[in-house]
Amino acid sequence: MNINFTPEVLAMIVGMLLTLIFAYFPKLRVLYGGLQSETKSLIMLGLLLITALVITLLAYTKVITTSEPVTWWLFARVMFAALVANQPTYNILPQAADVTQAKLDRLTK
């Protein structure tokens, strides 16, 4: 079985990995979980944007081979792929008890 690691596939993998990192690294998950929802969204969007930029630049410099030229449309598809992989992964992961406590602490302050 052959798997083509296209820019979109790489973006989906990184999008899922980002969610897993923020959900399971102990100190990071508590720090991130205690933030306001808007702040968490901006952080994740920023990281996904950086991911899309890096993957697009890697394709542009031919580190990642693509069957088409690198355009803004490729960047948009890579960004969309990262978002599509990131959000469902976040929604299905269970929330750790320490994250729930960090959210409660934030609300009571």
Side-chain angles (χ1 to χ4, degrees):
M1 181 163 84
N2 255 349
I3 298 175
N4 274 343
F5 285 100
T6 64
E8 294 87 356
V9 170
L10 290 174
M12 292 179 84
I13 292 169
V14 173
M16 288 189 309
L17 286 175
L18 279 172
T19 301
L20 293 172
I21 288 169
F22 279 91
Y24 290 113
F25 275 66
K27 291 187 184 207
L28 182 61
R29 77 173 177 219
V30 173
L31 177 67
Y32 185 72
L35 296 173
Q36 295 284 340
S37 180
E38 296 83 14
T39 305
K40 291 192 298 188
S41 294
L42 287 174
I43 289 170
M44 193 56 69
L45 279 173
L47 289 172
L48 293 173
L49 179 65
I50 290 168
T51 296
L53 282 171
V54 168
I55 290 172
T56 304
L57 286 173
L58 288 173
Y60 181 74
T61 59
K62 308 279 190 243
V63 174
I64 300 170
T65 57
T66 60
S67 59
E68 60 188 68
V70 177
T71 62
W72 286 103
W73 180 240
L74 175 69
F75 170 75
R77 287 195 333 253
V78 169
M79 183 67 186
F80 183 73
L83 282 168
V84 165
N86 182 271
Q87 287 307 300
T89 306
Y90 174 78
N91 288 334
I92 64 171
L93 291 176
Q95 191 172 58
D98 53 358
V99 173
T100 305
Q101 185 60 44
K103 286 182 178 181
L104 290 173
D105 291 346
R106 181 193 72 211
L107 294 173
T108 58
K109 287 183 182 180

